[in-house]
Amino acid sequence: MIKLTNLAMPLGFTEKQLHQAVAKRLHVTREDILYIQYLKKSIDARKKPHISVVLALALELRNEAAALRKMASDKDVQPYTPYQYHIPQCQLSDARPVVVGFGPAGMFAALLLAKAGLCPLVLERGACVEERQNDVARFRQTGCLDPESNVQFGEGGAGTFSDGKLTTGIKDSRIRFVLETFVSCGTPEEILYLAKPHIGTDNLIGVVRTMRETIQQCGGEIQFHACLKELKQRDGKLVGLVYEKDGECREIAANHCILAIGHSARDVFSMLYNSGIQLTQKNFAVGVRIEHPQKWLDHAMYGREATPPELPVADYKLAVHLPNGHSLYTFCMCPGGEVVAASSEPGRLVVNGMSNYARNGSNANSALLVGISPAELQDSHPLAGVAFQKQLEESAFQAGGGNYFAPVCCVGDFLAGQTPKTLGSVVPTYRPGVTLCAPKSYLPSFIVETLRNGIPAMDRKIFGFAMPDAVLTGVESRSSSPVRIVRNETCESVSLQGLYPCGEGAGYAGGITSAAVDGMRCAEQIIRRYQ
């Protein structure tokens, strides 16, 4: 096969036009083209309103060797070998491996272990995705929080109730397996080639359920409402686990455990610290969500009054470095989405962003985050970042009224330093409700200053970003883990043989795809020990 990159096509191009363009580009006839597969599809809006589609393609031609010789000097034409991921078969010789946590990292770890014949046991503290969906909806409607089944905890992890973005900053061949697995579980095939693939919360519910069923069919067992309480150790080695289910503590033998607990399992972090497992602080970030009209964003990014159906709803990614030494950046941008109630603990308020596959909501929202380094914490304790998060979440809970209403403020009032008295044309999407409140009531002064200086700087990159009616909703405090569970080059804890800290919660991933890849990486290490 041949890989062709950087092929520009007009919006709404037809299959006939594509074949003509490929033939012209490679100096072959249309009849020489046997097969075309999309590898990547992106939008180039740099010359708006004139917008093009840029493609990378895998091709089968009648005489590929001749075509490659003819195009030898063209860096955009290269030989191509399709990716294949191999899972070796193993014999289960002792206690089966355990996976704690069933978010992206835990799911892909369990999938590999099950397909290798190792019959993993998965312990998930939250509910299955069907129950969890109802618990999340009830919290949004009534403000009644279930601390064990919410946006943070439950089957699928925090990513299930998000935009389902699959973009990642890592480069790893395993990503293809992750995407192919999602497609086999029901996502549209376009995630295999779109430059900014996403699944959407409405699709993720079914995808997560199908992944669970696949793991079970391959010999895996999943226990829900099963919360890890203790690691059993002997001579520096893991020998068992204690978990609580149905109000009863149960002990099981375990020599290998993948710890994929997510970034909000604060009780588990404390248990690990008290058990002598080495933890360190790591950089994380906190801030607010900002909401704009999606129609404004589409026009700002595409330069068109009306967006043709061939174009995806517009998004953005911004970062500014400021004179106060801090940076402000956007994260988890959700086009056509909503701000969601993401609390997992009583008396603490957290927000996040979510959107469905169609991204057809009236508002666009994104996190506006300020980085927090260990220097800002002024506390050397490994869990100092967790304490910092808790303080902000408690302050936001009180600022909102103590009933899981979120504190909100219009950008115009915030930039002018005025007490917010009313909302404008942008209607907040957060539920169960909102309370007008200035961010200074729940955020430290250096974060408020960074937001106040950074929003106008972002407006200079996208005109209208600082529109007075845009809404700020707080507090966004769970974008990443403030803790790293230290492991070695084989993904094993430096403190306990047989324990494999994994994914976002352990400090080794940031998003659905990178967490899934890290889960695979840890599972591979265990599989090697059974071969």
Side-chain angles (χ1 to χ4, degrees), residues 286-303:
V286 298
V288 296
R289 282 264 153 187
I290 186 167
E291 286 192 271
H292 298 92
Q294 183 64 47
K295 287 184 178 179
W296 158 78
L297 181 59
D298 290 342
H299 183 261
M301 300 306 290
Y302 294 140

Side-chain angles (χ1 to χ4, degrees), residues 4 7 9 15-30 33 35-36 55 57 59-61 71:
L4 171 63
L7 180 68
M9 299 294 296
E15 184 177 348
K16 179 180 179 180
Q17 289 173 316
L18 177 60
H19 277 75
Q20 289 172 338
V22 170
K24 181 178 179 181
R25 183 76 173 75
L26 297 180
H27 305 293
V28 298
T29 68
R30 286 189 60 195
I33 303 170
Y35 174 73
I36 296 179
L55 302 174
L57 305 170
L59 309 168
E60 284 186 9
L61 303 181
M71 306 298 293

Side-chain angles (χ1 to χ4, degrees), residues 502-522:
C502 182
E504 280 202 45
Y508 296 98
I512 292 173
T513 304
S514 61
V517 166
D518 200 53
M520 293 175 64
R521 191 180 292 118
C522 291

Side-chain angles (χ1 to χ4, degrees), residues 210-226:
T210 302
M211 279 199 70
R212 176 220 308 164
E213 293 167 352
T214 301
I215 292 166
Q216 291 170 326
Q217 290 164 5
C218 293
E221 177 187 350
I222 298 118
Q223 292 200 27
F224 295 107
H225 304 290

Side-chain angles (χ1 to χ4, degrees), residues 410-461:
C410 285
V411 166
D413 290 334
F414 173 66
L415 296 181
Q418 298 173 349
T419 301
K421 292 186 174 60
T422 185
L423 293 168
S425 59
V426 180
V427 178
T429 54
Y430 177 91
R431 297 292 180 272
V434 298
T435 301
L436 287 165
C437 183
K440 66 180 180 181
S441 64
Y442 59 88
L443 290 175
S445 57
F446 76 91
I447 295 179
V448 173
E449 178 190 10
T450 303
L451 287 166
R452 186 163 283 137
N453 293 332
I455 292 172
M458 289 181 172
D459 188 81
R460 291 190 285 273
K461 297 189 174 190

Side-chain angles (χ1 to χ4, degrees), residues 354-401:
M354 183 187 89
S355 56
N356 288 327
Y357 173 72
R359 291 176 163 177
N360 56 1
S362 58
N363 288 1
N365 77 81
S366 176
L368 282 178
L369 298 180
V370 180
I372 308 295
S373 68
E376 267 86 35
L377 299 176
Q378 298 182 336
D379 185 340
S380 61
H381 194 285
L383 301 181
V386 172
F388 183 84
Q389 288 176 323
K390 288 179 178 179
Q391 181 182 1
L392 298 190
E393 293 164 12
E394 290 166 5
S395 297
F397 181 76
Q398 294 301 323

Side-chain angles (χ1 to χ4, degrees), residues 96 98 121 123 223 232 239-243 250-254:
R96 59 179 169 169
V98 177
L121 170 64
L123 303 178
Q223 292 200 27
K232 291 292 184 178
V239 295
L241 303 171
V242 177
Y243 67 97
R250 309 177 184 186
E251 183 173 342
I252 55 171

